[in-house]
Amino acid sequence: MKADKKIISILMNAENGKSITKDEAINLLKLPENSLESSILTSTANIVSRQKFSNHALLLGQIGVDMAPCDGDCAFCFFANSNALIKPSALDKQEIIDRCIQFVLGGAQGVFLMTMHRFGLDWFRDLCADLRNLIPNQFEILANVGDLSLSQLKELKDAGVTGAYHVSRLREGTDSCISPDSRKKTIEYILEAGLSWFNMCEPVGPEHTPEELAEQIWIGIDYPCVQHGVMQRFPVKGSPLYKYGQVSLSRLNQIIAVVALATQNKPNIKSIAVNAPSVAGLFSGANAFFPETGEPIHGDPENHPVKDKEGFTTALWRDNDEITTCDCRKMMVSAGFSHLMDFNGYSKLKLQSKSYSKEEII
Ligand code: SF4
């Protein structure tokens, strides 16, 4: 078996510390996903990423706090106005607090509070302010909400929010009713407000071309994010993009590897996330997961069926049970990661599969 010399040269340069260019990224994304070169790509990213992050990993929880038919109307989404059959509802504050505490106990360093594209700003701001007073100080409150103005983001910051996830997604404006410019404007405001910006290449489907993927990945290179990563799209029955299905794990890993090699010299990037969490992703340059629920209550790992719960997480799109902090730590331990870190890259806890005691955590 012989590998393509041009590809090997790009990967050797990357392994020696040179970030790949956008053109090189496109060439790497054109590789057949199960080729020899693609395997060398993911292995190279694994080496580069482990060095960059000192073999440390990150857990950030997620809670969908408000749900309604959404006028973002994304062609892949469970909540899209034209497809959704749900009634508007918001999660009870005590339930959110309880879930945050479970995330804390599982070693997560923060939580993304997710809403629809349009949401009640005052309600969300007051919720964040209350949470800030009621959950441990070191646990970061992060927003994953719709487009906002600079002054609205400053309000959230004053309420205790320290970062925000916001993405100008693949085919934004074509597969959604939101313009890429308004998404990018909000990203600029997030940075101007002094919040940490979390980004990803998403929602990746089989139809996205290497050029489209590279273009979208580079938004997180041109603007300073603290986290880059890749999230695959899960097909929602009845949605316009259902027909395309989903990318394979090997394709997902190939894209993660490209992100890792393109961002290796960006000191602002403290972690590379993959969603859904997978051990294979951890061997392709990723070091961060978004658990969908915290430490299982009363030691019952089966006690987290998604269908009976209020609110939402990405488990809804996967149509599966929620992935716990315990599940994530087990994957990270099995992949040989040594510690959990905070989102600034500082070491926080030795990684272990078994649950932490309260004294170890708080
Ligand atoms: S992906 Fe977000 S913006 Fe789009 S329809 Fe779903 S909730 Fe709304």
Side-chain angles (χ1 to χ4, degrees), residues 242-263:
Y242 180 73
K243 60 184 179 216
Y244 290 117
Q246 66 186 67
V247 289
S248 67
L249 209 47
S250 46
R251 179 66 174 158
L252 188 71
N253 294 339
Q254 185 182 8
I255 303 167
I256 295 165
V258 166
V259 169
L261 296 186
T263 57

Side-chain angles (χ1 to χ4, degrees), residues 134-147:
L134 295 166
I135 57 177
N137 267 341
Q138 78 275 17
F139 190 66
E140 313 273 351
I141 300 174
L142 310 166
N144 181 350
V145 297
D147 286 323

Side-chain angles (χ1 to χ4, degrees), residues 2-137:
K2 273 197 181 155
D4 183 300
K5 279 188 186 153
K6 196 172 144 203
I7 298 294
I8 295 303
S9 160
I10 295 171
L11 296 177
M12 281 177 68
N13 286 337
E15 208 247 321
N16 287 325
K18 185 173 172 286
S19 296
I20 57 171
T21 64
K22 198 193 277 188
D23 282 344
E24 289 170 339
I26 291 170
N27 283 331
L28 295 173
L29 290 164
K30 282 181 180 170
L31 293 171
E33 61 200 52
N34 289 313
S35 61
L36 174 62
E37 290 83 355
S38 198
S39 302
I40 302 173
L41 162 64
T42 49
S43 297
T44 306
N46 182 37
I47 295 166
V48 165
S49 226
R50 293 210 188 222
Q51 273 173 2
K52 173 167 171 140
F53 302 124
S54 308
N55 214 23
H56 283 38
L58 175 66
L59 292 177
L60 295 171
Q62 47 167 300
I63 306 174
V65 294
D66 130 79
M67 17 198 282
C70 176
D71 59 7
D73 214 20
C74 303
F76 47 84
C77 182
F78 187 85
F79 297 112
N81 226 344
S82 6
N83 193 32
L85 296 169
I86 51 157
K87 287 192 189 139
S89 68
L91 212 54
D92 175 68
K93 189 165 73 185
Q94 188 56 48
E95 172 70 20
I96 299 170
I97 294 167
D98 292 347
R99 290 195 200 185
C100 285
I101 299 295
Q102 279 178 261
F103 279 125
V104 172
L105 292 174
Q109 300 300 313
V111 67
F112 291 101
L113 300 180
M114 306 185 290
T115 70
M116 303 293 102
H117 183 58
R118 287 189 202 284
F119 65 104
L121 179 77
D122 293 355
W123 169 79
F124 187 80
R125 179 203 55 216
D126 294 347
L127 169 70
C128 293
D130 285 353
L131 283 182
R132 190 62 289 160
N133 291 324
L134 295 166
I135 57 177
N137 267 341

Side-chain angles (χ1 to χ4, degrees), residues 122-187:
D122 293 355
W123 169 79
F124 187 80
R125 179 203 55 216
D126 294 347
L127 169 70
C128 293
D130 285 353
L131 283 182
R132 190 62 289 160
N133 291 324
L134 295 166
I135 57 177
N137 267 341
Q138 78 275 17
F139 190 66
E140 313 273 351
I141 300 174
L142 310 166
N144 181 350
V145 297
D147 286 323
L148 291 177
S149 67
L150 179 59
S151 64
Q152 288 171 323
L153 283 157
K154 284 182 175 169
E155 276 188 56
L156 293 187
K157 188 175 182 218
D158 290 344
V161 172
T162 48
Y165 179 87
H166 212 74
V167 178
S168 181
R169 298 162 296 184
L170 290 156
R171 299 192 187 176
E172 192 78 74
T174 303
D175 288 340
S176 75
C177 292
I178 307 170
S179 84
D181 286 349
S182 66
R183 304 290 288 190
K184 283 184 195 150
K185 200 74 213 160
T186 300
I187 291 168

